[in-house]
C-alpha cells in the first residue's frame, strides 16, 4: 500500500487532481474543523465530475454521530472517530475499499 500525503490546507480541487494524477484507490481525509459535510460533498462531487467515482473517500476526525449517516448517504465509504486504531482503518481499507483480506499475524 502506498500513501501519498499532500499536506494540510489542500483545496478539494487539489485533492481530487492529485488523486486522479496518482491513480489513487482511496482519498483519506482528516478533518477537525467541522467542515466535514461541505468538504466531503465537494470532493465527491468533483470525483463524479471527473468520472473518478471509483476513488473511494474515507474521513476521520471529530465527526458528530448524527452526521455519519449524512456522510455515508453522500458517498463516504468510511467514517473514523478519534478512538479508531490505525489497524482498524487499514483493515477497513483492505476489506471494504480494496476488496482484499490481509490476514493478520496472531
Amino acid at each position: 500500500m502506498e500513501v501519498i500525503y499532500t499536506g494540510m490546507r489542500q483545496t478539494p480541487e487539489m485533492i481530487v487532481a492529485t488523486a486522479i494524477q496518482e491513480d489513487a484507490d482511496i482519498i483519506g481525509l482528516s478533518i477537525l474543523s467541522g467542515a466535514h459535510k461541505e468538504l466531503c460533498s465537494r470532493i465527491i462531487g468533483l470525483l463524479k465530475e471527473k468520472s473518478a467515482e471509483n476513488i473511494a473517500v474515507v474521513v476521520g476526525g471529530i465527526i458528530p454521530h448524527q452526521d455519519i449517516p449524512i456522510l455515508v448517504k453522500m458517498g463516504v465509504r468510511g467514517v473514523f472517530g478519534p478512538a479508531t486504531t490505525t489497524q482498524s482503518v487499514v483493515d477497513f481499507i483492505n476489506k471494504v475499499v480494496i476488496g482484499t483480506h490481509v490476514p493478520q499475524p496472531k
Side-chain angles (χ1 to χ4, degrees), residues 4 6 10 13-24:
I4 299 166
T6 61
Q10 300 292 307
E13 292 77 11
M14 293 164 71
I15 292 166
V16 169
T18 300
I20 292 170
Q21 178 183 349
E22 297 294 334
D23 195 27

Side-chain angles (χ1 to χ4, degrees), residues 51-66:
S51 298
E53 304 96 326
N54 60 308
I55 301 174
V57 176
V58 298
V59 62
I62 309 297
I63 311 294
H65 291 288
Q66 67 268 21

Side-chain angles (χ1 to χ4, degrees), residues 40-105:
C40 290
S41 176
R42 182 70 181 135
I43 288 169
I44 290 168
L46 287 166
L47 289 170
K48 287 178 182 174
E49 284 177 26
K50 305 286 185 184
S51 298
E53 304 96 326
N54 60 308
I55 301 174
V57 176
V58 298
V59 62
I62 309 297
I63 311 294
H65 291 288
Q66 67 268 21
D67 290 349
I68 294 173
I70 296 166
L71 294 171
V72 170
K73 186 175 182 178
M74 74 174 63
V76 172
R77 296 288 302 275
V79 181
F80 305 99
T84 306
T85 66
T86 302
Q87 190 61 57
S88 295
V89 176
V90 170
D91 290 345
F92 178 87
I93 290 169
N94 282 327
K95 183 178 178 187
V96 176
V97 178
I98 297 176
T100 62
H101 175 69
V102 178
Q104 297 302 311

